[in-house]
Amino acid sequence: MGEGQSCRLGIDTKAVDDLGAELLDWRHKAVPAAMHGRTADEFGSGSLRLSDLQTPLLTLDAAALRGNVAKMARWCAAHGVRLAPHGKTTMAPALWADQLAAGAWGITLANAAQLRVARRFGVEVLMLANSLTDPQAIAWVAGEVASGARIVSWVDSVAGVERLQRILAAADAGPLEVLVEIGGHGGRTGARGVDAALEVARAVRTAPRLRLAGVSGYEGALSHAWDDAGLAPVRAYLNDFRRLHETLAADKGYDTDEVILTAGGSAYFDDVVEILGPCTAPGVAVILRSGAYVIHDDGFYRGISPFSRTDPDADTAFVSAMQFWARVVSRTEPGLAILEGGKRDLPFDEGLPVPLGVGQGLGEPLRPLPGAAITAVNDQHAFLRYPEELEVQPGEVVRLGLSHPCTALDKWTLMPVLDGTADPANPTVVGTVRTFF
């Protein structure tokens, strides 16, 4: 792509495209030895099929990735809000480029190391969903902002504001845009309550090296359910968030041309838009930070996403774009098979994997495994319990549905992207996704 298009998308698309020239070798565990010495572009050129790969293996589905990005972009546009997807979910510049091309405002990240990855690939607009406290990180961010990047970070305490101001003043750097973060009781970061957040905002207003650009927060840490009891703390928190903004706006407490109001993970973004959406006006933007939606899953997000709570298989729902494949390496007890993939290969923090089928090999038709379950995972193994009347043999391949993309992709430096249009059982390798965790 040309330089003009790179700039327009807010990311250096040439740098992203250049990832295809990386030579593959022993460092890429998803790549079979037969492909060592080839480039990532050659690996994803369409000459290989799933059956040419090796296990254990995490793959991505091309159609699901495209569909998820498009669905979220359309929904945000229809509701008049923006999206700064949380890039820490994938740490994949190629997927960030797809999200930016679909209209994302920028990319959200969680720490300075992740910001450096984004700047290496020319991402121009970034949100740090955290407070800057490390002196080297503060100096680096200030330097990037001075060179033309936009990096908006958060503050949640008077002490944090004073530290930022002191370090920036010593370096004769700044100003930096910050958002005052409001938290909820029992949640993660964030000033606890409106009054405490107002104190932080007042501290920012007296700090000449800082500019108050809006309000931030994260509701997802307050609940993991979407029934009335689960939604109650989320909605109460969002109402406090709105009250904080309205108070600051009435007091003319912002120092920006456009106020940013940002909340919204991948579980409750509909509640965020219902409560904060009415605040949208000329000079006020509501920005969601949903990140898991681009990959989605077959576990936690399948059950809680606003698009799939009532019908996970609806046409409007996100589709899991990740699949895990593991061979049976041992079957020495009735009803127990040991698979070769474990904690080093797949996520387990938001629920254990779900067996979706078993076949004689990669690319072979799958037969169902009714009543089967993964009951435990070790570092490199998973325990598959199944009814004894089912036939599961060593060497067969089990497809597993995973829960929580944030702790799935971090275990893989490179993943093949599959297209099953011509052959759903044995899809073609049409690309790769490189991660930088």
Side-chain angles (χ1 to χ4, degrees):
M1 297 181 181
E3 184 176 347
Q5 187 168 3
S6 171
C7 179
R8 181 175 61 82
L9 294 180
I11 191 171
D12 185 347
T13 51
K14 182 180 183 303
V16 175
D17 291 343
D18 285 348
L19 289 173
E22 182 177 9
L23 288 178
L24 305 180
D25 56 26
W26 53 268
R27 291 168 293 184
H28 307 91
K29 69 179 184 179
V31 178
M35 289 300 296
H36 289 181
R38 304 288 188 90
T39 67
D41 278 345
E42 289 176 300
F43 186 41
S45 66
S47 61
L48 297 178
R49 308 285 285 273
L50 176 61
S51 56
D52 296 311
L53 306 182
Q54 64 184 28
T55 57
L57 177 66
L58 182 69
T59 60
L60 300 177
D61 182 86
L65 290 172
R66 288 193 303 269
N68 292 344
V69 169
K71 287 173 185 176
M72 192 65 181
R74 287 195 299 267
W75 192 89
C76 288
H79 288 81
V81 299
R82 300 179 192 172
L83 178 65
H86 212 322
K88 59 93 177 172
T89 295
T90 65
M91 287 305 296
L95 297 181
W96 298 347
D98 290 343
Q99 293 168 305
L100 289 165
W105 172 85
I107 298 295
T108 299
L109 292 165
N111 58 40
Q114 294 174 1
L115 289 177
R116 290 197 297 270
V117 174
R119 291 298 295 144
R120 164 62 181 81
F121 288 92
V123 180
E124 297 173 346
V125 179
L126 291 158
M127 186 182 301
L128 177 67
N130 228 328
S131 296
L132 277 169
T133 56
D134 180 82
Q136 294 192 48
I138 293 168
W140 180 83
V141 167
E144 292 299 301
V145 170
S147 70
R150 185 179 187 186
I151 303 176
V152 182
S153 63
W154 299 4
V155 289
D156 71 351
S157 69
V158 173
V161 171
E162 292 172 345
R163 180 176 178 81
L164 259 178
Q165 167 64 24
R166 184 169 62 251
I167 292 172
L168 289 169
D172 192 22
L176 297 184
E177 292 180 280
V178 296
L179 309 178
V180 59
E181 181 190 2
I182 183 170
H185 179 70
R188 199 163 59 193
T189 53
R192 293 305 195 250
V194 174
D195 291 341
L198 287 170
E199 287 186 21
V200 178
R202 285 191 286 269
V204 174
R205 292 175 65 180
T206 62
R209 304 280 173 167
L210 301 177
R211 300 285 182 267
L212 185 61
V215 179
S216 62
Y218 177 55
E219 73 293 337
L222 302 176
S223 180
H224 270 191
W226 63 274
D227 57 9
D228 289 344
L231 290 177
V234 171
R235 296 180 68 84
Y237 164 76
L238 292 171
N239 280 308
D240 282 348
F241 186 119
R242 179 171 174 170
R243 185 157 60 91
L244 171 61
H245 160 64
E246 291 172 344
T247 302
L248 286 170
D251 292 345
K252 301 187 185 307
Y254 296 117
D255 186 10
T256 182
D257 292 332
E258 183 176 64
V259 174
I260 293 171
L261 305 180
T262 179
S266 293
Y268 305 110
F269 58 81
D270 57 336
D271 296 283
V272 171
V273 170
E274 180 183 340
I275 294 172
L276 299 184
C279 299
T280 301
V284 180
V286 172
I287 301 179
L288 302 179
R289 302 189 313 279
S290 311
Y293 79 92
V294 64
I295 301 295
H296 198 53
D297 68 11
D298 286 302
F300 175 71
Y301 286 108
R302 174 178 167 86
I304 203 169
S305 166
F307 290 180
S308 59
R309 290 171 185 167
T310 57
D311 184 359
D313 297 313
D315 290 341
T316 54
F318 296 128
V319 176
S320 179
M322 59 180 176
Q323 308 91 28
F324 192 82
W325 313 85
R327 289 188 189 274
V328 177
V329 294
S330 177
R331 198 206 66 171
T332 55
E333 294 180 19
L336 172 63
I338 305 300
L339 310 183
E340 60 186 338
K343 294 178 182 178
R344 302 287 175 85
D345 309 298
L346 50 78
F348 56 92
D349 57 313
E350 288 286 1
L352 292 173
V354 178
L356 299 178
V358 61
Q360 292 184 0
L362 282 174
E364 297 292 332
L366 299 178
R367 59 186 188 275
L369 284 170
I374 300 294
T375 57
V377 288
N378 297 154
D379 287 353
Q380 308 289 175
H381 297 95
F383 290 68
L384 174 68
R385 299 279 182 180
Y386 59 93
E388 293 183 27
E389 63 269 17
L390 296 180
E391 289 291 332
V392 177
Q393 300 294 336
E396 291 195 305
V397 174
V398 178
R399 176 178 170 180
L400 298 175
L402 304 181
S403 181
H404 201 196
C406 301
T407 50
L409 272 65
D410 64 343
K411 298 167 177 59
W412 298 84
T413 56
L414 181 140
M415 291 155 290
V417 179
L418 306 180
D419 183 345
T421 303
D423 186 349
N426 193 20
T428 302
V429 182
V430 295
T432 61
V433 166
R434 181 70 159 85
T435 64
F436 295 88
F437 284 96

